[in-house]
Amino acid sequence: MTGRSFLIMTKAKIKNLLDFVPLIILTISAIVLLWAVITKDVGLLRKHIVGLCVLPIILLAFVWRHKAGVLVLGLILLSGLLSLLSYSPSVTTSALTIGRGADDQIPVFYGQPLFLLWLLIHFIFSARHYVAIATKKYWRDLLKKPLVD
């Protein structure tokens, strides 16, 4: 193995490891949430329970196929952005509208702003997994059993 091919392989491994950054962030947030529930006067909401239940699903998807894990993680982050789940002890859902009067308001954003940041981090590290996602070949290759994993 030449030095150049070793360097390329190392870059690929680093890229794959960076795909886990948003998952690590979610896991730390889940631990902080559980710590707040145990030590403070904080109760678990339905959004918290959903969030805690999907963490193992993300891990299983990564174990099954790395790309599938990235896609499931992106879907979960999108669900959090839409305020369907949460990892924060205080669920903060924001709405941003434009317009002059109360009747003329047009919604621009509704969700949890923190998930917007996490989704941005996810796309910075994992955008390569979303190239050609709308093609049949992409999904056939994703679901095809690999010869060696």
Side-chain angles (χ1 to χ4, degrees):
M1 183 183 284
T2 66
R4 182 163 172 80
S5 63
F6 176 75
L7 184 62
I8 292 171
M9 193 167 84
T10 303
K11 284 182 181 179
K13 284 185 179 183
I14 290 171
K15 285 182 180 181
N16 279 344
L17 288 174
L18 288 174
D19 291 334
F20 288 98
V21 169
L23 178 59
I24 292 167
I25 292 170
L26 290 183
T27 304
I28 291 170
S29 297
I31 292 168
V32 169
L33 169 65
L34 291 174
W35 183 256
V37 168
I38 292 168
T39 61
K40 298 177 183 170
D41 191 24
V42 175
L44 286 177
L45 301 173
R46 181 190 57 81
K47 292 178 183 187
H48 296 137
I49 295 169
V50 171
L52 293 171
C53 289
V54 297
L55 273 178
I57 294 170
I58 301 169
L59 289 172
L60 288 173
F62 268 107
V63 168
W64 180 63
R65 297 265 200 291
H66 184 86
K67 186 179 275 193
V70 170
L71 296 177
V72 169
L73 179 57
L75 183 64
I76 298 307
L77 290 171
L78 186 61
S79 299
L81 179 67
L82 298 175
S83 201
L84 299 175
L85 56 92
S86 180
Y87 295 100
S88 174
S90 61
V91 179
T92 305
T93 303
S94 300
L96 178 64
T97 59
I98 56 173
R100 292 185 182 178
D103 295 334
D104 298 334
Q105 296 291 316
I106 299 171
V108 177
F109 174 78
Y110 177 84
Q112 296 181 69
L114 186 57
F115 275 92
L116 188 59
L117 173 65
W118 292 347
L119 200 57
L120 179 66
I121 291 169
H122 173 70
F123 284 135
I124 288 170
F125 291 138
S126 305
R128 68 189 184 285
H129 294 290
Y130 292 94
V131 174
I133 195 169
T135 64
K136 185 184 259 185
K137 182 184 180 320
Y138 179 93
W139 292 100
R140 188 178 28 212
D141 291 347
L142 176 69
L143 300 174
K144 167 175 73 169
K145 185 172 180 147
L147 296 173
V148 177
D149 212 20

